[in-house]
Amino acid sequence: MISAIANFLEYDVYDLELTTVKDNSDLKRLLLDTKRKSIIVIEDIDSCSDEKIMVFTTNFVENLDPALIRRGRMDNHIEMGYCRFEAFKVLAKNYLEIEWHELYGEMERLVEEIDMSPADVAENLMPKSDEEDAEVCLRRLVKSLEEERENSSKLAEEEEEKKAELEARRKKKMKKKADLEVKEKAAD
């Protein structure tokens, strides 16, 4: 999404990981050294000067100080979900310059069924060389989605096996406890 915004606005993108910034002066120098209009992606938050779009990302919004994310400091809050067919069509148009392909029927079924982030979908749609056309990129995405489905199925199976194992242990423990209580009553 950030790359798409930057391309549309013809801005540069600077990706800063604040764990590498030692103090505020380092951060200010980094931010002020960018002479052109730019989008700055910061993963752990601070402030900046004008003519810049700041994009802050986190997987843990609940850990942020409410004063930091209030209106006026962070004007737009966007929760990124999984890529569905309408978003896929926009990505395909942007990256492959196509509005329809014979694989769209299969693609619609897959992206509605399988959870994949828009970034992962875009990564698969981006041509890796001048020889790669829409067909190659779409087939790569189909393969990636099918692999994701297999991985998700395996994880779900493993989770079910763990639950069944825990339940079996719990029942065994309860049976041992019941047997012990029976023995103690018989001994009295």
Side-chain angles (χ1 to χ4, degrees), residues 157-169:
E157 286 174 18
E158 289 172 4
E159 199 62 36
E160 284 301 315
E161 287 173 10
K162 286 180 184 176
K163 284 181 184 177
E165 188 178 305
L166 287 172
E167 182 63 19
R169 284 185 196 162

Side-chain angles (χ1 to χ4, degrees), residues 23-40:
D23 60 34
N24 276 345
S25 63
D26 285 348
L27 181 61
K28 286 177 184 171
R29 183 184 45 75
L30 285 169
L31 297 178
L32 296 174
D33 282 350
T34 59
K35 301 293 184 211
R36 297 186 55 199
K37 291 189 247 178
S38 56
I39 293 178
I40 300 170

Side-chain angles (χ1 to χ4, degrees), residues 111-126:
V111 296
E112 293 297 331
E113 173 187 329
I114 300 160
D115 291 339
M116 183 176 274
S117 73
D120 289 334
V121 170
E123 178 68 28
N124 282 283
L125 290 177
M126 280 190 244

